[in-house]
Amino acid sequence: HPAPRDSEAAPEGFGFLFPEALDEYFREFDDRLIERIQWRTDGGVYLFSWLFTALTSIEASLPFPMILFALGYDVAGSSITMIIFMLTILSQLPKRFLWRTRPWVNGRAKKVRTDSTSSFPSRGVICGIVFPISAMYAIEQETGNKFSPLLFTVVAIISVICTSFARVNVGAHYPSDTIFGILLGAVVQAVGFWSLGVWDRLGSPSHPKSMYATDPGGFIIVGAIWSRLPLGRLIVSAVVSFAVTIITMRSFWLKCNYVYGLLLSSFTFRVVFLSASAFRAGTSLAPVPTQGLLVHLWASFWGLLLLGYGMLTRGKKGKWRIVNYLLLYSSSLSVMLWFRLN
């Protein structure tokens, strides 16, 4: 039986409890759907729920900017980096300041997963919207082939339905959490597309004529790294990335040490090595031809390896969070450079 509402209190660091009136308004709707969706929580149903929970976790997106840049998909990498960055910020805002107890904690659902953070809103559903739409958009950018608006819509709807079912089935969310997740997911996607204009405002739109040096003599290559490396730009970008992470880590999101370790390195890579038109020196890495399957697998291996390290060490506290950030940031940046220079 759930504890009386007035016995609840938001944990330290959370500003507000989920409004009681809103909780009561959705109670009958939530409880009925939870009972029906949790009719089975084992076997194939559990595997299905586990799969979609994994595919729509924020962590699932983190290696992709690094992998895309390593393989030379620079236009797609630019878009995915910016959209995921917006996703990490906007999806964390309500989870950071508004507390809603998980349904399995207060006895309103079976305990299948033991997520103990705030349930509101469902970030999995937000990702269920943002991931497929952003992926299809990135494919359009790289191939020039356009998908129909109907296909975008159908893929997003299927993803949202599957993810919503999965998150309720494992007892991690109320159905009303998924509704708010859909609404916030639409907002995140819209802001993500809007944010792509940041590259334009920085003076380096995501276009080959803007990203790459116009003169081959401006390409950063193995034999001319130090003479063409924009060292000042690299130092400034690294310092800003570190400052953003430290500020965020202390007051906004504890696990941003590995989230931003993987993500902000891609920002640095784009600003420093693929923004020739934005700076007087006009140097950049060279574009690369489409790589083979083995190179794709090798780049994916490095992305998954660094993500695995970040997730395995995310429980570290104190100075180790900073150490982990620095390791992931420098390692992922080095991997991108190693692939492109070779």
Side-chain angles (χ1 to χ4, degrees):
H1 297 285
R5 172 74 187 198
D6 58 13
S7 69
E8 293 185 24
E12 183 180 355
F14 287 82
F16 307 96
L17 277 173
F18 187 78
E20 182 176 1
L22 203 56
D23 189 61
E24 288 300 322
Y25 179 80
F26 283 108
R27 179 177 289 273
E28 183 178 357
F29 168 78
D30 284 337
D31 290 347
R32 284 187 176 183
L33 273 182
I34 289 172
E35 183 179 2
R36 292 178 181 180
I37 290 174
Q38 285 199 313
W39 67 282
R40 280 199 64 179
T41 56
D42 58 359
V45 176
Y46 172 78
L47 292 175
F48 176 89
S49 297
W50 180 89
L51 175 64
F52 272 90
T53 293
L55 290 176
T56 55
S57 65
I58 193 74
E59 288 83 358
S61 67
L62 299 179
F64 281 97
M66 186 196 84
I67 293 170
L68 290 170
F69 281 132
L71 294 171
Y73 298 117
D74 297 328
V75 176
S78 301
S79 299
I80 295 299
T81 298
M82 189 64 73
I83 292 172
I84 293 175
F85 184 64
M86 291 295 108
L87 170 65
T88 61
I89 295 174
L90 296 177
S91 66
Q92 180 62 14
L93 277 170
K95 297 187 79 66
R96 172 63 181 81
F97 297 109
L98 190 63
W99 176 265
R100 192 182 193 188
T101 305
R102 298 276 184 180
W104 72 266
V105 174
N106 63 18
R108 292 173 63 183
K110 300 175 186 177
K111 182 174 72 172
V112 181
R113 283 176 57 93
T114 56
D115 307 68
S116 56
T117 53
S118 176
S119 77
F120 180 86
S122 172
R123 181 156 38 207
V125 172
I126 297 172
C127 294
I129 292 176
V130 174
F131 286 178
I133 292 178
S134 300
M136 293 172 70
Y137 177 71
I139 292 171
E140 283 187 338
Q141 287 185 300
E142 287 292 340
T143 65
N145 298 322
K146 297 295 182 181
F147 297 111
S148 69
L150 178 61
L151 183 59
F152 272 100
T153 304
V154 170
V155 170
I157 289 174
I158 292 173
S159 176
V160 164
I161 291 174
C162 293
T163 306
S164 298
F165 174 89
R167 297 303 288 160
V168 174
N169 181 258
V170 298
H173 287 292
Y174 305 91
S176 54
D177 290 334
T178 69
I179 293 175
F180 286 103
I182 293 170
L183 297 176
L184 187 54
V187 171
V188 170
Q189 189 67 70
V191 173
F193 281 143
W194 171 84
S195 70
L196 299 182
V198 168
W199 300 122
D200 297 337
R201 290 185 282 277
L202 289 174
S204 181
S206 297
H207 188 278
K209 291 183 179 179
S210 302
M211 291 189 293
Y212 307 127
T214 55
D215 181 357
F219 288 145
I220 301 169
I221 57 176
V222 174
I225 294 178
W226 297 112
S227 61
R228 299 175 187 175
L229 177 69
L231 186 59
R233 205 187 314 168
L234 177 60
I235 293 172
V236 170
S237 181
V239 169
V240 170
S241 297
F242 181 74
V244 168
T245 303
I246 293 298
I247 293 170
T248 308
M249 192 187 306
R250 291 178 62 87
S251 59
F252 187 62
W253 198 8
L254 288 178
K255 69 179 182 180
C256 72
N257 61 321
Y258 73 91
V259 172
Y260 288 167
L262 290 169
L263 190 56
L264 293 184
S265 60
S266 295
F267 261 105
T268 295
F269 186 84
R270 174 63 165 85
V271 170
V272 176
F273 300 105
L274 295 171
S275 296
S277 66
F279 300 95
R280 184 178 300 175
T283 59
S284 76
L285 290 168
V288 296
T290 302
Q291 302 297 299
L293 176 60
L294 289 179
V295 180
H296 281 72
L297 293 175
W298 188 227
S300 300
F301 166 80
W302 279 105
L304 293 173
L305 179 67
L306 292 176
L307 174 63
Y309 169 80
M311 294 185 68
L312 286 173
T313 58
R314 61 184 173 180
K316 299 287 186 180
K317 298 180 180 180
K319 63 181 180 181
W320 288 109
R321 292 186 183 277
I322 299 175
V323 171
N324 282 344
Y325 164 78
L326 293 173
L327 284 172
L328 288 168
Y329 179 88
S330 58
S331 297
S332 52
L333 187 59
S334 298
V335 167
M336 288 183 280
L337 281 171
W338 183 79
F339 268 86
R340 295 299 288 265
L341 291 173
N342 283 277

